[in-house]
Amino acid sequence: MAKDEAKASDFSKGLLQSEELYKYILETSVYPREPEALKELRSVTHNYPMANMATAPDAGQLMEMLLNLVNARKTIEVGVFTGYSLLLTALTLPEDGKVIAIDVNRSTYEIGLPVIKKAGVEHKIDFRESEALPVLDELLNHEENEGGFDFAFVDADKVSYWNYHERLMRLIKVGGIIVYDNTLWGGSVAEPDSSTPEGKREGKKAILELNKKLSADKRVQISQVALGDGITICRRLY
């Protein structure tokens, strides 16, 4: 994007009723603090057919704060797409930090890879082209990984979210944070199924089940936030 102005496509990632209010938030508090590398990657992704799959920049800003609050050094990302949240994480981690990034599709990651390389943070990224569960299970095969990670971000197949959660609860340290994306499913979680397109109903069902289970999970402190498509922040208590 030539200017830090909210485009019409940005509003697909916001749940606020007023596009003008969302534009105000982006242009006042988000874009002025967004690193140049993230602006560039957002611009590159903007031209991609499925650009709305990218992490919303206002949600990314909150993620950066959370990473700093837990002094994150080792993190996990499930679902990468073009790498906006991954680049944000790599920029935030210290020089010796590491993020294990898992995605079934390397080709979308490679869309953003030139920007990641240009930003000088590729060495912090351990990209695994794979389904997530085998990678998480492999990590758990090594005892030193239990409680060895500070932060995780999940934005992948919604049906598997709870399976990811059970594994991440063993990998993330007590006091660490797991963030789940898309937990309001475009606002459809509060609407009847008849209002939800057929192709989105399976994901909606999975998200509704996840939200119920997370609410009942006493192992975590939670906060569900109406940023982007809805994110749920989980802090491991024990």
Side-chain angles (χ1 to χ4, degrees):
M1 298 180 187
K3 297 181 180 179
D4 284 338
E5 296 178 352
K7 305 296 184 182
S9 61
D10 291 333
F11 301 127
S12 66
K13 297 299 291 185
L15 292 170
L16 293 174
Q17 291 298 307
S18 166
E19 290 187 0
E20 287 304 314
L21 180 55
Y22 190 42
K23 179 178 179 180
Y24 172 81
I25 292 170
L26 291 175
E27 294 182 353
T28 303
S29 300
V30 180
Y31 292 160
R33 289 175 171 262
E34 185 181 39
E36 288 301 319
L38 289 176
K39 294 182 194 295
E40 184 177 354
L41 185 48
R42 181 161 53 82
S43 180
V44 169
T45 304
H46 180 73
N47 298 317
Y48 190 73
M50 294 182 289
N52 65 339
M53 289 177 60
T55 301
D58 51 335
Q61 188 179 57
L62 178 58
M63 278 180 54
E64 179 185 4
M65 182 180 291
L66 294 172
L67 284 160
N68 283 321
L69 284 171
V70 296
N71 296 312
R73 289 185 63 256
K74 292 180 64 179
T75 76
I76 298 170
E77 180 153 335
V78 179
V80 172
F81 190 47
T82 61
Y84 184 92
S85 56
L86 177 60
L87 174 57
L88 181 150
T89 299
L91 288 169
T92 307
L93 293 178
E95 187 61 23
D96 62 346
K98 185 70 70 176
V99 50
I100 295 177
I102 312 164
D103 200 293
V104 295
N105 188 352
R106 184 179 176 88
S107 63
T108 51
Y109 167 61
E110 289 182 344
I111 292 170
L113 188 55
V115 182
I116 292 171
K117 289 181 176 179
K118 181 179 175 182
V121 293
E122 186 190 10
H123 65 284
K124 299 181 188 180
I125 298 169
D126 179 1
F127 182 84
R128 314 277 184 96
E129 185 176 19
S130 172
E131 297 283 349
L133 290 177
V135 176
L136 297 177
D137 286 338
E138 171 59 23
L139 290 173
L140 286 167
N141 284 337
H142 303 277
E143 187 177 347
E144 66 272 16
N145 286 329
E146 295 216 17
F149 293 84
D150 308 298
F151 183 93
F153 178 60
V154 181
D155 183 10
D157 59 313
K158 314 312 168 193
V159 174
S160 297
Y161 267 27
W162 187 253
N163 287 328
Y164 299 152
H165 182 71
E166 289 293 1
R167 288 158 174 81
L168 290 170
M169 281 297 294
R170 294 173 59 191
L171 290 165
I172 299 298
K173 70 181 183 183
V174 172
I177 288 175
I178 308 168
V179 176
Y180 294 98
D181 200 9
N182 308 117
T183 61
L184 293 176
W185 208 234
S188 68
V189 290
E191 298 171 352
D193 280 350
S194 58
S195 301
T196 306
E198 185 68 35
K200 289 185 171 291
R201 290 182 186 175
E202 183 181 19
K204 174 184 173 180
K205 180 182 178 183
I207 289 296
L208 285 169
E209 291 176 357
L210 173 78
N211 290 340
K212 186 182 295 184
K213 288 179 176 179
L214 289 178
S215 179
D217 190 349
K218 302 304 182 185
R219 299 171 298 175
V220 293
Q221 177 185 14
I222 68 168
S223 178
Q224 191 166 30
V225 186
L227 288 176
D229 194 27
I231 64 173
T232 299
I233 303 161
C234 302
R235 176 175 172 266
R236 183 182 172 191
L237 297 176
Y238 62 85

